[in-house]
Amino acid sequence: MATTATGTTPFTYDHGHEHVDDRSFIRKYIFSTDHKIIGIQFLIMSLTFLLLGGMLAMVMRWQLGFPGKPLPGGTLLPDTYTSGGVVLPEFYNSAVTMHGTFMVFFAIMPLLVGVFGNYLIPLKIGAPDMAFPRINMASFWTAVPAGLLMLAGFFVEGGSAAAGWTSYAPLSARSDLTGVHLGQIFWCVSLIVLGLSSIMGSFNYITTVINLRAPGMNWFRLPLSIWALFVTACLVLLAIPVLSGAAILLLFDQTIGTHFFDPQAGGQPLLWQHLFWFFGHPEVYILILPGMGMVSDIIANGARKPVFGYTSMVLAIIAIGFLGWGVWGHHMFQSGMNPTLGTTFMISTLLIAVPSAIKTFNWLGTIWKGQITFHVPMLHALAFVSMFVIGGLSGVFMAASPFDIYIHDTYFIVAHLHYVLFGGSLFAIFAAVTYWYPKMFGRMMNPTVGKVHFWLTLVFYNCTFFPMHQLGLHGHMRRIYDPTQYAFLKDLQPVNTFISISAFLLFATQFIFAANFIMSWFKGEKAPNNPWLDNGLEWTLPSPPPHGNFATVPTVYRGPYEYSSPHSDQDYIPQNVPTPGGGYGAPHTQPAGD
Amino acid sequence: MGNFLSWMLPPGASTFVGDIDWIYYLILVVTGVAFFAVEIALVVFLVKYRKRPGGKATYVHGSTRAEIIWTSVTAVVVVVIGLLSAPAWDKIKGREGVPPNAMPIGIAAKQFEWNITYPGADGKLGTTDDFTVRGQLHVPVDKPTVATLTSVDAIHSFFVPSFRIKQDAVPGMHIRVWFQPTKVGEYELGCAELCGLGHYRMRAIVTVHTQEDYDRWVAQQAHAVAQR
Amino acid sequence: MAHAAAIHTEDVMLPPPAREAGAGVYTEKLGMWIFLGSEVMFFTALIGTYVILRFAHPSSWKNPGEVLNIPVTAVNTFLLICSSVTMVKAFAAVQDGLLRQLRLWLVATCIIGASFVGVQVYEYTHLIEKGFVPSEGLYGSTFYTMTGFHGFHVTMGVICMIYVTLKAFRGKYTQADHRGVEVIGLYWHFVDLVWIILFTIVYLI
Ligand code: HEM
Ligand SMILES: [Cu+2]
Ligand SMILES: [Cu+2]
């Protein structure tokens, strides 16, 4: 048996070294075990769901902006959805529910974790693939049926689930309350199956990061994107089973007559909320941490400067990972939970704003005294910072429990969650997709089109979601089908119309991105290995990298953010380039107190 | 529309307005300062440190002093916000917060209506002169009212924006929620928790009377009940 | 063969070579440990649910033995513990290079594990005949959910155990490389441990 220079047999998964790739088309692109292909598969799946979720949002915005007016094309839909083209409450509730469910579980989460977890982790740590490539493949092929099942809800009697993405019991548990039976069951089963996919993914990522780092890639040379994805994977690993458990209990209540959430038999509706949010708050960090990490990489690159306060960035990620478990009660301030707990959850929630603030200040520190290049990914990353600030600050209003009495379940919450999830996560996703697109597909996206898409998105996005704060401050409830029912909301109708028009424009703008994405795949300029002059290991490889990634295991000499270093005449030094003097490179000296 | 894009809260009509609204304005000022500080710094940096030919970025990895300062300042600010907010929470939602002299009523939420049980002339619930009215909440002004809130089916949420009060009505639970109106008039009560198809029209009218009007209304209702 | 095995002793069961120091164990084992973290959270959710519901409604809980047949389950518990012992034996055997014993102990583990599931099925059918069904109040709901999901885990374990046993018969495990045996063993002991907790809180308290 061959031995390598270190006198040991090659690591089991290193067999991809010979570059003859004779896998069949199916093994290569469909049932592939290559993390890069799986990442791209997740990308296609989740962008599809992003589109579907967006379409549902358009339905809702039509109804809210123009209540009672026939939806354009609405007459083409079945009678259970529309009547004379007008959206029915049944369809509205199903759209509210499936929009949230698609976006959270089938778009943002797989985009961040499934796509970039898969694509970046092995490349950035210098590994040939994930620790368990076949489990990785299984993870994707479990997510697909889960998504199809969720979609199937639209085609069965009673329609899709309609109890909100949070599926509060007993509404979700009793079909006589919603009129939806199969759809609710599909919702539970789909999330249980998706949970399996997420768990397979997450323990794979964690194992990979712990055990497969290239020599020299110690914990404090990991890019922040990898730190964030690592902590995210830990959160997925530990939070998802709680959701699965809760969904199983709900499924049993729906199907075999158990009574977990049925008050008549002593069951507790609030139990669902506790389980759901015990999962749910870590989940919202699952939805933002990878974005924060990737944005950190991109901002350092765009500013041509080391990330400011790398250590505190890492500590902030870890702090979020821990604190995120102790704040779920802030979703339940008005639920009838013991009010003493309310105070505790208020303080813990306010404290969790601190690590987010630390990260924001460090991003500012990173661009401070930089040489900022405004490439498209950088624009999106900067938008992430400025939009996430708004979402984080609006969180403080809701964390203050007395004021939450007033704004809970109003459009203020909707504004908050879209500032963190669209302004935050989705801008981070745009940044990341445009940044790593050349590596993934070997071609550049068109930067001019990218800039047009960016600016239009930024403007329409703010026109859509910013006024929602004001709606909330005026008491506008969320998830209502027809706001004009209430006298005190009638005057707000013009705001609703304005929001709807902005939303349509925002949606339309995304087709620019779609066109750029698809066209560049075929017609884009050929990408060099390192178009952004980045230090990460993935940029030392061809675009796209071959199966098995690295021909020889790279050795890492320094952290990923050595931009504009005086040790080099270029403004970057890739992580695997030895310092002229040999050895492991200059240690990171942190200028003490400036 | 311009009016509605203001940052002021709409006028209210209960004692909670005084307890809650100032917290909002406080947070608005604090977060407003933070918001402008960050966004302005961002824009200034972007302009000032944009790429220039031949320029080189400053090679720094951070500053421990800066980290300590901004971490501790943020932590202190949020904790102070929490400490300032806590008393209002205890007063409004705390189990001890309900004034002992509050008039008891019962509210049973049901898809998609609010059924309100009044104590009748004797001021006590659970006696024979209780009567139930659908979709109308009548209360006297300047007197605390305490409602025992429950639901018979899904979770609903009792929300009177003008009173700044909201509380979920959960089946199987009897949650006490109190308020004290300060202005005579008519207000709206809405459901704030998705509860099914008719959630959007689960609405009721809140009428705040003077004490005399309220007594008169109770007498009228009692009469109507006796007639039936 | 023996020679190759000697080289393997150095690396296969150790962290992957030529890498930055990781967890200090080989990847499959690390992966199983991490996966079990997820399982812990799953059972915590179920057990937490049970605790919350039971404390809120102590009266709707039957006394131990009133509905459930404790002796049968006690025997079953004993069986499961035995299977953990045989699993330990199997692992010890392969560590010593005793491959025949390895197969023997693995077969024993499969059989005992399957019997556990069998007894559970028997218990369920009897309870259901007696009219104790999952929709029988909170007691029935939690009983069937918790024991059922544990049973499901044992069943999955038995299936994997059979796979490992077949591999053992095909000579895939050696003194030098027996990762599969160790990893399935970890899972098996975990499931056993969960049962001891469940047995205590569901049957005895
Ligand atoms: C800066 C720290 C944050 C604080 C203090 C905070 C606080 C809160 C609070 C108190 C609520 C509940 C409001 C209510 O329902 O009455 C809430 C809701 C929500 N938050 Fe945050 N949040 C923060 C960051 C985030 C992040 C980073 C995300 C996701 C990326 C996020 C996503 C959400 C979502 C989706 C909801 C709404 C859930 C629903 O009811 O549908 N939050 N947040
Ligand atoms: Cu939360
Ligand atoms: Cu409602």
Side-chain angles (χ1 to χ4, degrees), chain A residues 104 165-166 168 277 281 283-285 287-288 292 330-334 349-350 352-353 356 388 391-396 398-400 404 407-409 413 416-417 420-421 425 478-479:
Chain A
V104 169
W165 82 277
T166 51
Y168 276 13
W277 290 117
H281 195 86
E283 168 72 12
V284 307
Y285 284 110
L287 298 171
I288 197 78
M292 291 176 158
H330 64 220
H331 297 275
M332 298 174 63
F333 285 143
Q334 320 314 332
T349 302
L350 284 165
I352 206 167
S356 303
F388 177 73
L393 291 175
S394 66
V396 176
M398 298 149 19
D404 184 68
I407 50 174
H408 170 67
D409 266 336
I413 311 305
H416 162 73
L417 73 91
V420 284
L421 286 176
S425 313
R478 67 194 280 204
R479 292 169 173 169

Side-chain angles (χ1 to χ4, degrees), chain A residues 89-90 93 162-164 168-171 174 176-178 263-264 269-270 273 303-310 312 333-339 342-343 346-347 350-351 353-354 357-358 360-362 364 367-374 382 385-387 389-390 393 396-397 400-410 466-467 469-470 473-475 477-482 485-488 491-492 494-495 498 562-571 588-591 593-594, chain B residues 1 3-10 19-21 23-25 27-32 34-39 41-43 45-67 70-72 74-76 78-79 81-90 92-95 111-112 114 152-155 157 159-162 164-173 175 188-204:
Chain A
E90 284 84 348
N93 281 4
Y168 276 13
L171 185 65
R174 284 175 47 188
D176 59 322
L177 297 180
T178 47
Q264 256 111 39
L270 286 200
Q273 296 182 29
R304 312 309 293 168
K305 243 191 91 201
V307 159
F308 196 86
Y310 174 88
S312 49
F333 285 143
Q334 320 314 332
S335 68
M337 167 183 85
N338 184 336
T343 309
M346 163 164 67
I347 300 292
L350 284 165
L351 281 176
V354 175
I358 295 177
T360 307
F361 291 131
N362 279 307
L364 287 182
I367 57 171
W368 169 71
K369 294 194 175 172
Q371 279 287 314
I372 303 165
T373 320
F374 296 95
L382 293 168
V385 175
S386 70
M387 297 297 110
V389 168
I390 301 179
L393 291 175
V396 176
F397 289 84
S401 54
F403 187 57
D404 184 68
I405 297 174
Y406 181 55
I407 50 174
H408 170 67
D409 266 336
T410 66
F466 203 80
H469 290 110
Q470 272 90 6
L473 292 176
H474 283 264
M477 291 81 93
R478 67 194 280 204
R479 292 169 173 169
I480 55 175
Y481 161 74
D482 181 4
Q485 291 284 325
Y486 286 88
F488 79 102
D491 298 345
L492 293 172
V495 184
F498 173 80
E562 291 304 289
Y563 293 107
S564 303
S565 156
H567 303 293
S568 158
D569 21 305
Q570 279 172 314
D571 71 349
H588 267 179
T589 40
Q590 186 137 321
D594 284 4
Chain B
M1 179 165 148
N3 182 23
F4 295 108
L5 291 182
S6 95
W7 285 98
M8 306 302 276
L9 293 175
D19 298 316
I20 288 179
D21 288 17
I23 296 177
Y24 164 69
Y25 291 112
I27 301 178
L28 185 65
V29 170
V30 173
T31 55
F35 170 75
F36 282 110
V38 170
E39 303 288 355
L42 183 70
V43 172
F45 289 176
L46 292 184
V47 174
K48 195 163 165 203
Y49 302 118
R50 67 184 182 279
K51 190 176 179 64
R52 294 211 175 79
K56 198 156 172 137
T58 313
Y59 180 72
V60 284
H61 284 94
S63 149
T64 316
R65 191 177 352 133
E67 302 289 343
W70 59 50
T71 307
S72 42
T74 336
V76 169
V78 293
V79 168
I81 289 178
L83 294 179
L84 290 175
S85 307
W89 174 254
D90 289 338
I92 300 169
K93 289 290 175 97
R95 300 242 157 103
Q111 278 186 339
F112 299 97
W114 301 97
V152 300
D153 39 43
I155 296 179
S157 193
F159 179 31
V160 185
S162 303
R164 306 285 190 266
I165 189 68
K166 181 180 292 125
Q167 175 60 55
D168 287 4
V170 184
M173 290 176 79
I175 301 165
E188 281 179 292
L189 154 62
C191 178
E193 184 67 63
L194 179 63
C195 57
L197 291 179
H199 167 55
Y200 69 98
R201 54 181 166 80
M202 188 164 162
R203 174 178 171 269

Side-chain angles (χ1 to χ4, degrees), chain C residues 89-102:
Chain C
K89 287 285 190 191
F91 182 60
V94 71
Q95 272 187 317
D96 295 342
L98 307 171
L99 301 186
R100 223 179 66 82
Q101 291 199 19
L102 164 71

Side-chain angles (χ1 to χ4, degrees), chain A residues 504-519:
Chain A
F504 301 148
L505 293 170
L506 178 62
F507 184 69
T509 303
Q510 302 320 306
F511 288 97
I512 303 178
F513 177 79
N516 195 1
F517 187 95
I518 296 169
M519 300 282 274

Side-chain angles (χ1 to χ4, degrees), chain A residues 489-500:
Chain A
L489 296 181
K490 280 215 173 81
D491 298 345
L492 293 172
Q493 200 45 35
V495 184
N496 263 325
T497 311
F498 173 80
I499 290 178
S500 291

Side-chain angles (χ1 to χ4, degrees), chain A residues 545-568:
Chain A
H547 185 51
N549 300 344
F550 299 91
T552 46
V553 179
T555 304
V556 173
Y557 296 93
R558 65 183 68 72
Y561 301 121
E562 291 304 289
Y563 293 107
S564 303
S565 156
H567 303 293
S568 158

